[in-house]
Amino acid sequence: MWKHIAANALTFLIVALFLFGGVIAWGTNEYSAEGPLDQAICVQVRSGSNMRLVSVDLAEQNAISSPAIFRMGVDYSDKASLLKAGSFLVPERSSMAEIVDIVTRGGQSTCGTEIVYRVGVTRVVAQVRELDPVSGRFVELADFDPAEVGETPVAYTETRAADDTQYRVVIAEGVTSWQVVQALNSLEFMDGEVSDIPLEGNLAPDSYQVQPGDSVAELLAVMESSQARILASAWAERADGLPLSSPQEALILASIIEKEASTSDERFDVASVFVNRLNLGMRLQTDPTVIYGVTEGRGVLGRGLRQSELRAETPWNTYVIAGLPETPIANPGAATIEAALNPASTDFIFFVAKTLDPRDGHNFAVTLDDHNANVAIYRALEAERAALTDN
């Protein structure tokens, strides 16, 4: 009798273990399988939230088949403590495992409504936009200059009042450190006005996600750390034989290229011109350095250069001084730093704008005769425009 009971118990245990293993296998498969979501959604994870609340929200939006399996998968992968606040784009058919990775990997929010402050060379623009999860494109709700006196767009006011609004500061390539500080100090949602201007060239142009109450000084420190990493990496991979003795000289050259290159495609050719000139002992003779000598990076000149300014000796006027200026003249982007340290292999010594639209790039030349011919073409375009203006 006892043998019979023991045999039945063993059989029951085996069956139970088999069934339990089957349940685990089924749950594991469900966790990794394609999800039920038929179109992309934006999932908002509020500060202080947890995986239980997230799983309920995902189930309500039909993004997962089982909140329980979702949470068990989170626990098994030991990611419960890695949940990040923000708004995250969940593509259609995402598995539970993929969704967990999306809301725990960190980094910037990938969807939702955001206010973007774009700090450009000539002005700061505030933009309110919302990502359409289905198309994956941002829908612009408002675009305005916050410095201009006038009625603030309703979309901006409403978005500023919402708790889940994201904020982003985008620094354009070629902006000076003074311009960056002025722009950040003017942002009403950031704290701690800064009076000391970071060294020119030391701020990395990029897109930075910020939050209300963030410190201006801390954001500037992030920009400086980022630029230092970019410069160190590019310097380590620099081409041989460059007429540059230090990363700082590379940064100075990159800042000039940033102000002169009209298109991203011609950065490496512009870099080759300046490298060739340095190798030949020629003066760089570039207008942006003269302009920086006049403004010292504090705003835009807003007019043409005078002959007296072209002749004036400043630490930056490359028509007068030999070699590189004393400091950078702007904050160059990573791509331009790369171009400065890995220029194209050319014999170009000269360049001049192709047309009156700077977006059209430059004509490059090896000889002075060819350069003068290119200049003549440009002067003819200037004369043609002047004649049309007079009429």
Side-chain angles (χ1 to χ4, degrees), residues 133-149:
V134 178
S135 67
R137 297 181 178 181
F138 279 98
V139 178
E140 187 175 298
L141 305 178
D143 189 327
F144 67 102
D145 185 343
E148 292 182 355
V149 178

Side-chain angles (χ1 to χ4, degrees), residues 100-118:
V100 170
D101 180 63
I102 289 170
V103 299
T104 61
R105 74 168 67 115
Q108 299 182 344
S109 295
T110 54
C111 66
T113 305
E114 65 178 9
I115 295 177
V116 183
Y117 293 91
R118 300 187 182 278

